[in-house]
Amino acid sequence: MALFLHPKGHRDMPDGTSLEFHTLFPGEGQRPSGVVCVRHDYSWAWARIAVFSSDTMGWQIFPETATLVPEGFEFTTHTMVGGFICWEFEGVITEFILVLNTDTFQFSRMDLPAPSREADPKFKIGQTKDGRLCFVNEKEHTLSVWISAAGDDGVERFVLHKMFLLHASFMEVTNCSAEDTISRS
């Protein structure tokens, strides 16, 4: 049986808003599977969350909320990681991610570490075994792992956890040096 939740043919709503749907898998805390629907305007100035639960077969609709996205920033991509849905935003450079915690259904903004703030950064968002967000980026043959942690002010931010030089690993995997693969002009 089909359930039609958005206008036929596309996800764009006629009033300048957009819908996104994300699947929730059962959690360790006995959370049932479900669907998160995120409705937002194109500038992400506000968003509204609705959650469909497979347990109750009903929707829980949360109040509209401001999303902490400054004017002039544009959404680029999203990633679902464990208990989080993360959206990347960029202005001139990628500076932060918007995070929706799927346990609390609260939005927060997490600034990216300064070394990764550049045009076209190479990074991936993930989750640690204990459920914290992590951020991994590669720059100048070094892999950096950043883990979210609350600062003294209670604000979650990424802190450097470990760094790995990639030269030895690169040679082991490819049987050639990193310098051999760099195109020479």
Side-chain angles (χ1 to χ4, degrees), residues 29-42:
Q30 305 307 316
R31 176 184 72 197
S33 61
V35 174
V36 175
C37 174
V38 181
R39 181 179 178 204
H40 58 86
D41 70 338
Y42 289 120

Side-chain angles (χ1 to χ4, degrees), residues 16 20 27 29-30 37 41 45 56 58 66 75 80 90-91 103 111 118 143 157 159 173 178-179 181:
E20 296 181 19
Q30 305 307 316
C37 174
D41 70 338
T56 64
F75 158 73
M80 184 138 184
E90 65 181 31
D103 289 331
D111 293 331
E118 59 186 43
L143 190 68
R157 53 182 56 86
V159 294
V173 170
E179 288 78 19
T181 63

Side-chain angles (χ1 to χ4, degrees), residues 13-27:
M13 303 294 290
D15 61 353
T17 62
S18 188
L19 288 178
E20 296 181 19
F21 295 91
H22 306 275
T23 303
L24 289 178
F25 297 100

Side-chain angles (χ1 to χ4, degrees), residues 100-116:
L100 177 66
N101 182 321
T102 61
D103 289 331
T104 64
F105 296 103
Q106 296 291 313
F107 282 102
S108 61
R109 180 179 132 179
M110 291 188 70
D111 293 331
L112 297 179
S116 63

Side-chain angles (χ1 to χ4, degrees), residues 94-153:
T94 302
E95 292 188 28
F96 66 91
I97 59 173
L98 185 66
V99 178
L100 177 66
N101 182 321
T102 61
D103 289 331
T104 64
F105 296 103
Q106 296 291 313
F107 282 102
S108 61
R109 180 179 132 179
M110 291 188 70
D111 293 331
L112 297 179
S116 63
R117 293 183 187 178
E118 59 186 43
D120 194 28
K122 296 177 180 122
F123 69 88
K124 291 291 181 188
I125 305 225
Q127 190 173 16
T128 63
K129 290 180 191 176
D130 62 356
R132 294 188 295 168
L133 279 177
C134 68
F135 170 93
V136 178
N137 73 316
E138 181 276 327
K139 187 173 184 177
E140 298 175 5
H141 306 294
T142 301
L143 190 68
S144 301
V145 179
W146 305 75
I147 296 178
S148 65
D152 294 337
D153 55 4

